Amino acid sequence: MMRDRQLFSCLLLILALFSLQNLCFCDDHAVLYESFDEPFDGRWIVSKNGDYEGVWKHAKSEGHDDYGLLVSEKARKYGIVKELEEPLNLKEGTIVLQYEVRFQEGLECGGAYLKYLRPQEAGWTPEGFDSESPYSIMFGPDKCGATNKVHFILKHKNPKSGEYVEHHLKFPPSVPYDKLSHVYTAVLKPDNEVRILVDGEEKKKANLLSGEDFEPALIPSKTIPDLEDKKPEDWDERAKIPDPNAVKPEDWDEEAPMEIEDEEAEKPEGWLDDEPEEVDDPEATKPEDWDDEEDGMWEAPKVDNPKCETAPGCGEWKRPTKKNPAYKGKWSAPMIDNPAYKGIWKPRDIPNPDYFELDRPDFEPIAAIGIEIWTMQDGILFDNMLIAKDEKVAEVYRQTTWKSKFDVEKEKQKAEEEAASSAGGLKSYQKVVFDLLNKVADISFLSAYKSKITELIEKAEEQPNLTIGVLVSIVVVFFSLFIKLIFGGKKAAPAAAVEKKNKKPEVGESSSSKSEDETEKKEETAAPRKRQPRRDN
């Protein structure tokens, strides 16, 4: 028994020493760590710029006892700064930038990125912090409309021109679409490599000096087009020209029509020559308030002739047309290679006066962390901000501060989805689908179909197992609309007009609305719809 106790005590001692070693290692290599365990007042400075009215709060992450820095109001600009004890030189060794952010109410339109600011000698103050405050690196998620990316922007000074240029990472990773805590990491290596991690998983690797990875490229082109160069007047860019020796053939008839009557066509048997395609509606009656002197002679609206329904056609029969074999159209000379062709002209290249060479970016030092965002969502919670000089430090912090929270949130989300599914509720992907369909239904040119689409969505929300069927139904609606837009829809039947004409005004209906109805009736009866005679094709 005594031996077991000694062994257990030794294990505890080893574990304690290991934890202490990790803690010391992290402390030695962490330049800045902000846990927000304590209120931020006094350590962070809120911008006093009048445009930044958003209120920051020290609040718990939903479902946890862990505190963070909370965006508390919708549709506001936010600005806040924390200064480093001393500026950090980014040119020496590995630098790791890491922080957590959670969109507790989702993120439809807003940013949640950090700005790593230059020293105040560059021309800014914490109290006046705004979008123009000079930074070295901007990093973090941003989502609004077509924008959905984890930014990594390096602001670098051109040593020749003295101009600071923003260099954006091409094809950055997208922002996770949920309400869970996520940790974003950027690793800058001495060999110019930059890696972007989301939840500890590498999503993007790039080279800071590569034009394929950053736009615009950090190192400018050696040459640029000469803006003063002009295209010579005799420069011919036409690769092909009409053959000047070509002659129109004598038998080429430019006047021949594209189509001619088909002389071989015969009138179908049973064609009713003396029957019109449309006849007066026998059920229509003249409105009681119709005045022949004021309104003109009343005419019954037209309807399709019922005799024509069983016949091959009615009215005057005309031969159908067919393609004219003699048709050739307007003659033009054939195209030949242009002997004077010189290619597409472009100005000559000259040496770029702003060109420079670098083995390593000339990073500006970091003196502060700033959050300067505009967002339509509240509930954005920032936490566990870290600047370190070793990747292992960032990994330790991810495991000790983020991973446990994320696992709890993930399990809770899974349980909620299973409960909703078993209770006939909506799964998360179904919510996304229905939210999208509701937005589509609000599109103006779909207004005629909105009630039908909304009805289908409501049925599916009541019975989530119908999601696929609803999607198919709505696709059919869109396809029908597409066909109508291309080929045109069928005109309203005259019977509808008759029904409107025979409708009497309701008791208490205003005289103005009655007058409008009468005007509409007159217009419809005065100009009945005409149809073209059918042709046998």
Side-chain angles (χ1 to χ4, degrees):
M1 179 68 71
M2 180 64 69
R3 185 176 181 181
D4 292 340
R5 288 181 179 176
Q6 290 176 341
L7 179 61
F8 182 68
S9 298
C10 288
L11 288 173
L12 287 177
L13 180 60
I14 293 172
L15 182 61
L17 289 173
F18 179 74
S19 300
L20 181 61
Q21 182 182 10
N22 274 340
L23 181 61
C24 294
F25 174 77
C26 291
D27 288 343
D28 289 342
H29 290 78
V31 176
L32 175 142
Y33 175 62
E34 174 60 82
S35 65
F36 294 104
D37 290 340
E38 301 296 331
F40 61 86
D41 298 328
R43 293 178 293 111
W44 288 75
I45 301 172
V46 177
S47 174
K48 295 181 180 178
N49 186 303
D51 292 336
Y52 295 82
E53 299 177 343
V55 176
W56 295 99
K57 290 186 177 179
H58 183 242
K60 287 184 179 181
S61 179
E62 185 179 335
H64 304 287
D65 288 330
D66 186 38
Y67 282 85
L69 182 63
L70 179 69
V71 169
S72 65
E73 298 175 307
K74 298 179 180 179
R76 291 285 188 273
K77 284 185 176 182
Y78 289 81
I80 194 168
V81 174
K82 178 179 176 61
E83 296 182 80
L84 275 62
E85 291 183 0
E86 60 182 30
L88 173 64
N89 187 350
L90 299 178
K91 302 176 186 178
E92 298 177 357
T94 297
I95 299 295
V96 184
L97 311 175
Q98 180 171 285
Y99 71 103
E100 297 173 25
V101 67
R102 183 182 184 187
F103 307 128
Q104 298 178 120
E105 302 299 329
L107 184 64
E108 291 297 326
C109 187
Y113 41 79
L114 304 187
K115 290 184 175 180
Y116 297 87
L117 301 160
R118 291 161 53 195
Q120 294 182 36
E121 289 77 12
W124 70 280
T125 62
E127 292 80 6
F129 178 53
D130 61 12
S131 61
E132 300 300 318
S133 298
Y135 65 87
S136 290
I137 292 173
M138 187 178 111
F139 171 56
D142 187 16
K143 184 175 182 293
C144 192
T147 300
N148 183 353
K149 65 179 72 174
V150 179
H151 285 290
F152 184 88
I153 304 173
L154 171 63
K155 203 161 188 179
H156 190 267
K157 182 180 180 181
N158 184 308
K160 290 289 188 70
S161 66
E163 178 186 4
Y164 282 90
V165 180
E166 289 185 354
H167 302 276
H168 293 246
L169 178 66
K170 291 183 180 180
F171 313 113
S174 58
V175 182
Y177 190 86
D178 56 38
K179 299 179 181 180
L180 309 181
S181 297
H182 293 284
V183 57
Y184 298 89
T185 310
V187 182
L188 286 71
K189 306 289 286 184
D191 61 357
N192 298 323
E193 178 185 273
V194 58
R195 294 164 50 232
I196 307 299
L197 289 71
V198 179
D199 297 343
E201 180 182 348
E202 183 180 298
K203 297 294 185 180
K204 178 73 176 182
K205 181 188 288 186
N207 188 302
L208 291 166
L209 299 184
S210 172
E212 295 181 359
D213 293 331
F214 282 85
E215 177 64 36
L218 195 71
I219 299 177
S221 173
K222 288 185 177 181
T223 60
I224 57 173
D226 183 359
L227 299 180
E228 296 183 359
D229 192 14
K230 304 296 182 183
K231 182 172 72 172
E233 293 182 1
D234 61 346
W235 190 281
D236 197 335
E237 294 182 335
R238 299 174 300 162
K240 298 280 186 179
I241 59 171
D243 184 355
N245 299 320
V247 179
K248 182 174 73 173
E250 293 182 1
D251 60 348
W252 192 289
D253 185 1
E254 292 184 343
E255 304 300 326
M258 185 181 295
E259 292 187 339
I260 58 174
E261 286 190 352
D262 185 358
E263 298 295 338
E264 297 179 357
E266 296 182 358
K267 182 168 66 174
E269 187 175 349
W271 187 280
L272 304 179
D273 296 84
D274 298 327
E275 288 290 340
E277 284 196 326
E278 293 181 334
V279 294
D280 291 346
D281 185 355
E283 298 181 0
T285 57
K286 179 179 177 180
E288 294 181 2
D289 58 348
W290 188 277
D291 189 330
D292 288 339
E293 292 184 1
E294 278 191 24
D295 304 327
M297 185 65 66
W298 181 82
E299 294 181 359
K302 299 292 184 180
V303 295
D304 290 342
N305 189 343
K307 294 180 181 180
C308 299
E309 293 181 1
T310 56
C314 292
E316 180 185 0
W317 180 82
K318 294 182 179 180
R319 296 182 186 277
T321 59
K322 65 177 184 179
K323 290 183 178 180
N324 182 3
Y327 174 75
K328 294 184 178 181
K330 186 172 180 61
W331 180 86
S332 60
M335 304 298 286
I336 61 172
D337 291 337
N338 181 4
Y341 175 66
K342 294 183 178 181
I344 303 300
W345 182 87
K346 62 178 182 179
R348 64 175 178 268
D349 288 336
I350 59 174
N352 183 0
D354 294 332
Y355 172 75
F356 61 89
E357 294 184 357
L358 280 180
D359 295 328
R360 181 107 168 101
D362 189 16
F363 293 108
E364 296 286 344
I366 292 174
I369 295 178
I371 306 175
E372 185 275 315
I373 57 175
W374 176 89
T375 179
M376 295 302 293
Q377 263 72 44
D378 57 353
I380 301 175
L381 191 79
F382 295 87
D383 201 3
N384 294 313
M385 297 179 182
L386 173 71
I387 300 176
K389 296 183 178 180
D390 193 292
E391 290 184 69
K392 292 180 180 179
V393 176
E395 183 178 355
V396 169
Y397 276 102
R398 284 197 301 269
Q399 294 299 322
T400 56
T401 64
W402 166 78
K403 187 67 166 63
S404 58
K405 288 190 297 185
F406 179 79
D407 290 342
V408 169
E409 294 163 8
K410 195 73 174 175
E411 286 300 318
K412 183 181 178 182
Q413 182 188 57
K414 183 179 179 182
E416 289 174 350
E417 288 180 354
E418 290 176 353
S421 179
S422 61
L426 299 178
K427 295 181 179 179
S428 59
Y429 81 90
Q430 290 172 321
K431 288 181 181 178
V432 173
V433 170
F434 294 138
D435 288 345
L436 178 61
L437 291 177
N438 277 306
K439 290 179 181 178
V440 170
D442 288 331
I443 297 176
S444 58
F445 76 86
L446 292 176
S447 57
Y449 300 86
K450 182 174 181 178
S451 59
K452 189 172 183 179
I453 296 173
T454 303
E455 182 182 352
L456 288 170
I457 295 172
E458 288 175 352
K459 286 182 179 179
E461 288 178 334
E462 293 172 1
Q463 304 178 57
N465 57 315
L466 297 179
T467 302
I468 300 300
V470 168
L471 286 174
V472 172
S473 301
I474 292 177
V475 167
V476 170
V477 171
F478 288 167
F479 182 73
S480 302
L481 176 62
F482 178 71
I483 294 298
K484 287 190 177 183
L485 286 173
I486 294 179
F487 299 105
K490 185 177 179 181
K491 294 182 180 178
V498 175
E499 182 180 348
K500 190 171 183 180
K501 289 182 177 64
N502 293 333
K503 180 181 177 182
K504 294 182 179 179
E506 299 291 338
V507 177
E509 185 177 11
S510 68
S511 60
S512 61
S513 63
K514 180 179 176 182
S515 175
E516 290 174 1
D517 288 344
E518 289 173 354
T519 303
E520 200 170 314
K521 292 174 188 174
K522 294 172 187 177
E523 289 177 351
E524 289 178 348
T525 54
R529 181 172 57 89
K530 299 294 183 181
R531 292 199 320 181
Q532 296 296 325
R534 293 190 211 172
R535 292 183 176 181
D536 178 37
N537 293 321

